[in-house]
Amino acid sequence: MFGIVRPCRHRLGEGLAAQWMAHLCGLCLALRRDHGQFARVVTNYDGLLISVLTEAQAAPAPGARRTAGPCPLRGMRTASVAQGGGARLAAAVSLVLASAKVRDHVADGDGLLARGPVALAARRVATSWGRAGERGGSAVGFDTAVLVDAVDRQVGIEALAGPGTPLLSVTEPTETATAAAFAHTAVLAGRPGNAVALAEAGRLFGRLAHLLDAVEDQPADAAAGAWNPLTATGTSRAEARRLADDALHGIRLALRDAEFTDGRLAHLLLAHELRRSVDRAFGTTSCGHGPEAAFGPPQGPYAPQGPGAPYDPRHPHQGGGHPFRSGPQPPAKRGFWAGCAAAVGLCCTCRLCCADEFEGPWSGKKREGWCSNCGDCDCSCCEACSCCEACSCCECCACDC
């Protein structure tokens, strides 16, 4: 599941984390329903932003969610998942862009794709995905030709780029593609007046995605002798960071110009989590103020809610215990053979790697899934909108905190 916006569930809080998972699972299931089981491999964190934006603008509808059956990636639990035009548009865009990515890797001869039979199979998969994405886009009134054209132009632009070429000339095709996808969410949601603002947000998001990919890949590209936009154009990391910060600022301003029915999740992902993505890529931190304790827990509509929120005294990251127990209770241990049976069950259901939390097969202790998306988060950084009043890092915040 690739993408630059990878939020930590502890920062989102229980309510918004459930919404985020609903859109992620909705994208995955839309890919399966419309394009087959194998298409689910293109599920990505950034694609679900399209589904999030569509729902954020639309009026509440009874058919916007459905209950999905148990899935190994959810620890064999059922869940409420997003469905409808937003999820289908996200699926179509993800397929077209994944198709382009595969073709690009084939052209570069990356890894196993340097071998003829593997490259031939990959081309067929890419062609199939491209056609499926075109059909999916047509079903929701979106012309994927703008995405295909952007990808085709990217190849020529990169071939001509050299020292002195403006970096934004290289990122332009990506910007055009994401702008079209973001703008179409306004059409699906029945808010055509939002199209211009969301096109601008999408354009800048595409710029960021391209920049951060270049920054993160630059060392590996240099070692492999591969093409990298920063190296090819002679752009410094300092200039790339300036462009990234300008794009972040522009996205926040664009979001302020759009009208949302419930824009909490969209704002948190595109204003706050995107800032963390930039910091992660450049190895920096955004805010210059002290710990959260200096300002208290976040207030307003973006503050995490519920017993799973990071500021609840019962939250494990705050050192709190169970509210109804006088002391810690030792976990129930299993014998050797019972533990072996439990371990087999954990492996077969993927809970060992994909569940948020599972019990150790022998010790019975609570453990976090190996593939949990909180591996790079200490959950002590600026939570949601807590820094909006305390420093200037979120000067254009669109929330009421």
Side-chain angles (χ1 to χ4, degrees):
M1 293 182 184
F2 51 92
I4 63 173
V5 182
R6 304 191 294 271
C8 167
R9 64 179 179 274
H10 297 125
R11 286 196 300 263
L12 291 178
E14 185 175 335
L16 292 182
Q19 289 186 38
W20 184 81
M21 281 299 300
H23 289 286
L24 181 62
C25 293
L27 168 58
C28 180
L29 294 175
L31 285 164
R32 185 192 68 178
R33 182 179 61 251
D34 293 343
H35 309 294
Q37 192 74 251
F38 185 63
R40 300 171 79 178
V41 302
V42 308
T43 303
N44 65 96
Y45 293 134
D46 293 344
L48 70 88
L49 290 173
I50 294 174
S51 180
V52 169
L53 284 171
T54 303
E55 185 175 87
Q57 300 170 77
R65 296 291 174 89
R66 71 177 181 88
T67 300
C71 174
L73 298 182
R74 290 193 299 269
M76 297 307 294
R77 295 189 297 267
T78 61
S80 174
V81 302
Q83 65 175 353
R88 299 184 72 184
L89 175 61
V93 171
S94 296
L95 278 169
V96 173
L97 295 183
S99 170
K101 195 175 185 70
V102 170
R103 290 202 306 270
D104 184 55
H105 285 307
V106 170
D108 292 343
D110 293 337
L112 290 174
L113 296 179
R115 301 180 180 180
V118 178
L120 178 61
R123 287 193 191 96
R124 289 179 177 174
V125 169
T127 300
S128 174
W129 282 351
R131 291 172 180 168
E134 183 180 357
R135 293 193 302 270
S138 298
V140 293
F142 180 67
D143 186 2
T144 58
V146 65
L147 306 182
V148 176
D149 176 69
V151 171
D152 292 341
R153 287 191 296 107
Q154 186 75 53
V155 177
I157 290 173
E158 290 181 358
L160 296 175
T165 301
L167 184 59
L168 297 188
S169 298
V170 179
T171 63
E172 180 274 323
T174 306
E175 296 177 22
T176 300
T178 50
F182 274 44
H184 197 69
T185 65
V187 177
L188 292 178
R191 298 252 191 182
N194 285 346
V196 174
L198 293 181
E200 177 67 4
R203 183 179 68 83
L204 295 173
F205 180 82
R207 177 182 301 179
L208 262 180
H210 204 133
L211 283 173
L212 299 190
D213 184 62
V215 169
E216 291 178 340
D217 291 349
Q218 192 173 29
D221 288 343
W227 193 91
N228 183 280
L230 299 182
T231 305
T233 60
T235 303
S236 66
R237 289 177 71 90
E239 174 64 9
R241 180 59 194 254
R242 185 190 68 80
L243 292 172
D245 288 340
D246 286 348
L248 283 171
H249 185 75
I251 288 172
R252 293 195 183 104
L253 292 177
L255 290 178
R256 293 181 65 179
D257 291 337
E259 295 182 4
F260 295 104
T261 302
D262 181 359
R264 290 178 300 164
L265 181 59
H267 173 83
L268 199 148
L269 294 176
L270 288 170
H272 296 279
E273 290 301 331
L274 199 51
R275 161 67 69 178
R276 291 187 176 92
S277 299
V278 173
D279 290 336
R280 184 168 56 243
F282 285 92
T284 60
T285 56
S286 298
C287 296
H289 56 70
E292 278 297 324
F295 305 101
Q299 305 296 325
Y302 303 107
Q305 303 293 326
Y311 291 101
D312 190 295
R314 294 168 288 172
H315 194 278
H317 287 262
Q318 301 300 317
H322 195 286
F324 305 113
R325 293 176 182 168
S326 57
Q329 302 295 315
K333 294 185 178 181
R334 297 186 180 93
F336 176 76
W337 293 111
C340 289
V344 170
L346 289 170
C347 292
C348 291
T349 60
C350 296
R351 286 184 62 83
L352 200 65
C353 62
C354 301
D356 292 341
E357 193 178 67
F358 66 90
E359 290 185 357
W362 288 278
S363 67
K365 293 180 179 179
K366 295 291 185 182
R367 303 187 186 280
E368 195 170 88
W370 295 348
C371 298
S372 169
N373 66 343
C374 289
D376 60 351
C377 170
D378 62 6
C379 297
S380 63
C381 45
C382 301
E383 301 291 343
C385 295
S386 57
C387 59
C388 295
E389 295 178 343
C391 70
S392 59
C393 63
C394 302
E395 66 260 5
C396 55
C397 214
C399 57
D400 298 322
C401 50

